[in-house]
Amino acid sequence: MTQQRQIILEELRQVNSHPSADEVYEMVRKRLPRISLGTVYRNLEILSELGEIQKLELGGDLKRFDRNPIKHYHIRCMRCGRVDDAPIAPLNQIENELYGATVYTIIGHRLEFEGLCPQCSKTPGKS
Amino acid sequence: MTQQRQIILEELRQVNSHPSADEVYEMVRKRLPRISLGTVYRNLEILSELGEIQKLELGGDLKRFDRNPIKHYHIRCMRCGRVDDAPIAPLNQIENELYGATVYTIIGHRLEFEGLCPQCSKTPGKS
DNA sequence: GTGTTATCAGTAATAATTACTAAAATTAAT
DNA sequence: ATTAATTTTAGTAATTATTACTGATAACAC
């Protein structure tokens, strides 16, 4: 656990947003101005493999990171990309429904809601 | 409806896979060797806005296109990226559960299963 | 047919991510 | 602690998917 890795973890744990790698980079840069973006990417990957955090692959063009390593669902703003937790109980049985109906070995599932956050709900503008 | 747009639609309708824009490009190129990738991207976008096809934003690094414009769920191979339909009934009530529990205006949801396709289930190799 | 508009092919530009490399730092073994 | 082996880092370059731009072409309206 290097200093860089430790600080990346600390900074991510201080927010309940779901920042992209670039946003984590900007956060960490305040404490380690010489850190490089590649280091942030690599350590976020390592930390998620260690089970300390979670890497999110949601809709949109970029991956996000969640300080909470426990599987849960999210809602994402279609306009601005903001992501929040979706307070829905896990669908523990849903994978059983698929069992036998697919040729795949089922490993997990992901449920993501789409919508508009409060700010973007107010503003008309083009979607 | 230009010739290019028509042929893109025809080719996509001939497969039950869920090709990426680049794969559609390769398919269409057999009939229109001079078509450009930008044209494929633009027309896939237009066709999905018209409701003729569906643009999929699943996990992984690329978007995929589905000849079926009706909302349904998918399963994706974590190793090779193959995508198939997941024969699960739509969760029509799930958005109601979230209503009142989130500050977002809910517009839709996406459910995606992850697993290994038959080929990748056989091969050990690194995941 | 002529003019207007949309679309095309080809190419360049973006943006997120990954790969590479030599230097620095951490760890392990004496 | 000192040296040797290993890992990690900063910085940069390369990749990849996608979008934007542009002058030429084709579709459409009159």
Side-chain angles (χ1 to χ4, degrees):
Chain A
M1 180 69 68
T2 64
Q3 186 191 194
Q4 286 87 339
R5 190 170 303 160
Q6 181 65 43
I7 290 182
I8 288 168
L9 184 54
E10 284 172 18
E11 287 296 317
L12 183 55
R13 283 184 171 158
Q14 282 185 7
V15 296
N16 57 11
S17 65
H18 299 72
S20 66
D22 205 69
E23 287 165 346
V24 173
Y25 174 57
E26 290 303 330
M27 288 156 56
V28 171
R29 225 137 75 99
K30 289 169 188 158
R31 291 174 63 185
L32 294 176
R34 299 189 60 76
I35 200 171
S36 86
L37 183 55
T39 300
V40 173
Y41 269 103
R42 183 164 25 75
N43 280 305
L44 286 170
E45 189 67 43
I46 290 169
L47 287 166
S48 89
E49 279 166 14
L50 291 174
E52 297 285 339
I53 65 172
Q54 186 174 181
K55 177 159 80 161
L56 304 180
E57 299 203 353
L58 306 177
D61 297 326
L62 40 75
K63 297 188 175 65
R64 293 174 171 280
F65 295 87
D66 192 329
R67 67 177 175 185
N68 179 4
I70 310 271
K71 283 272 179 189
H72 58 286
Y73 305 139
H74 296 92
I75 182 163
R76 187 172 60 88
C77 178
M78 299 169 82
R79 175 115 32 109
C80 73
R82 173 178 160 187
V83 172
D84 283 89
D85 291 346
I88 292 267
L91 303 171
N92 293 317
Q93 304 305 314
I94 192 86
E95 290 170 28
N96 297 342
E97 276 190 61
L98 195 54
Y99 185 79
T102 180
V103 292
Y104 283 68
T105 306
I106 306 163
I107 293 177
H109 71 276
R110 165 168 46 239
L111 175 60
E112 178 190 349
F113 295 87
E114 292 183 319
L116 293 175
C117 71
Q119 284 80 4
C120 292
S121 291
K122 283 181 211 142
T123 318
K126 68 175 193 303
S127 67
Chain B
M1 182 67 68
T2 61
Q3 187 190 194
Q4 286 88 339
R5 191 170 302 161
Q6 183 63 45
I7 290 182
I8 288 169
L9 183 54
E10 284 173 18
E11 287 296 317
L12 183 56
R13 283 184 172 157
Q14 282 185 8
V15 296
N16 57 9
S17 64
H18 299 72
S20 64
D22 204 70
E23 287 165 346
V24 173
Y25 174 56
E26 290 304 330
M27 287 157 57
V28 172
R29 225 136 74 99
K30 288 169 187 157
R31 290 174 65 185
L32 294 176
R34 300 189 59 76
I35 201 170
S36 86
L37 182 56
T39 299
V40 173
Y41 269 103
R42 181 165 27 75
N43 280 305
L44 286 171
E45 189 67 42
I46 290 168
L47 288 167
S48 88
E49 279 165 14
L50 291 174
E52 297 285 338
I53 65 172
Q54 186 174 183
K55 177 159 80 161
L56 303 180
E57 299 202 354
L58 306 176
D61 297 327
L62 42 75
K63 298 188 173 64
R64 294 174 171 282
F65 296 87
D66 192 329
R67 66 177 175 185
N68 178 4
I70 311 271
K71 284 272 178 188
H72 57 286
Y73 304 138
H74 296 92
I75 182 163
R76 188 173 59 87
C77 178
M78 300 169 80
R79 175 116 29 112
C80 72
R82 173 177 160 188
V83 172
D84 282 270
D85 290 346
I88 292 267
L91 302 170
N92 292 316
Q93 304 305 316
I94 193 87
E95 291 170 26
N96 297 342
E97 276 191 60
L98 194 55
Y99 185 78
T102 180
V103 292
Y104 282 68
T105 306
I106 306 164
I107 293 176
H109 71 275
R110 165 167 47 240
L111 175 59
E112 178 190 349
F113 295 87
E114 293 182 319
L116 293 175
C117 72
Q119 284 79 5
C120 292
S121 292
K122 284 182 209 140
T123 318
K126 69 174 192 303
S127 67

